[in-house]
């Protein structure tokens, strides 16, 4: 049974990616690439789409924060 809440993939200052559950203080896993982190998030929560931090500027002036993966 999966835990409630969302799961996130976020870039870290060290250049790798953290997989973190909503409300957690520590990452569930840290991986070297965004692709590997997304795959790990899907393993941890197979019934949920991971929210992935997106680094791109939008027309409203700031970076988009998260997007759902397919």
């Amino acid at each position: 049974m999966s835990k409630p809440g969302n799961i996130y993939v976020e870039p870290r200052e060290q250049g790798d990616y953290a997989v973190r559950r909503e409300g957690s203080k520590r990452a569930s896993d840290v991986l070297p690439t965004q692709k590997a982190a997304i795959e790990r998030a899907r393993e941890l929560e197979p019934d949920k789409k991971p929210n992935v931090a997106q680094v791109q500027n939008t027309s409203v002036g700031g970076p988009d924060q998260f997007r759902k993966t397919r």
Side-chain angles (χ1 to χ4, degrees):
M1 183 171 187
S2 76
K3 296 180 180 180
N6 295 314
I7 192 157
Y8 296 90
V9 174
E10 305 169 329
R12 298 186 340 140
E13 289 180 12
Q14 296 85 346
D16 49 12
Y17 292 84
V19 178
R20 186 180 313 273
R21 285 189 166 95
E22 185 173 5
S24 69
K25 293 183 180 186
R26 297 184 66 185
S28 298
D29 208 344
V30 175
L31 295 131
T33 66
Q34 187 179 50
K35 182 178 179 179
I38 291 169
E39 290 171 3
R40 180 66 177 137
R42 288 179 177 150
E43 289 173 5
L44 292 171
E45 294 290 344
D47 297 333
K48 296 181 183 177
K49 293 181 181 179
N51 292 288
V52 180
Q54 185 174 4
V55 182
Q56 78 178 31
N57 289 327
T58 64
S59 61
V60 292
D64 248 354
Q65 287 235 291
F66 291 97
R67 63 177 167 81
K68 294 258 187 200
T69 60
R70 294 177 193 203

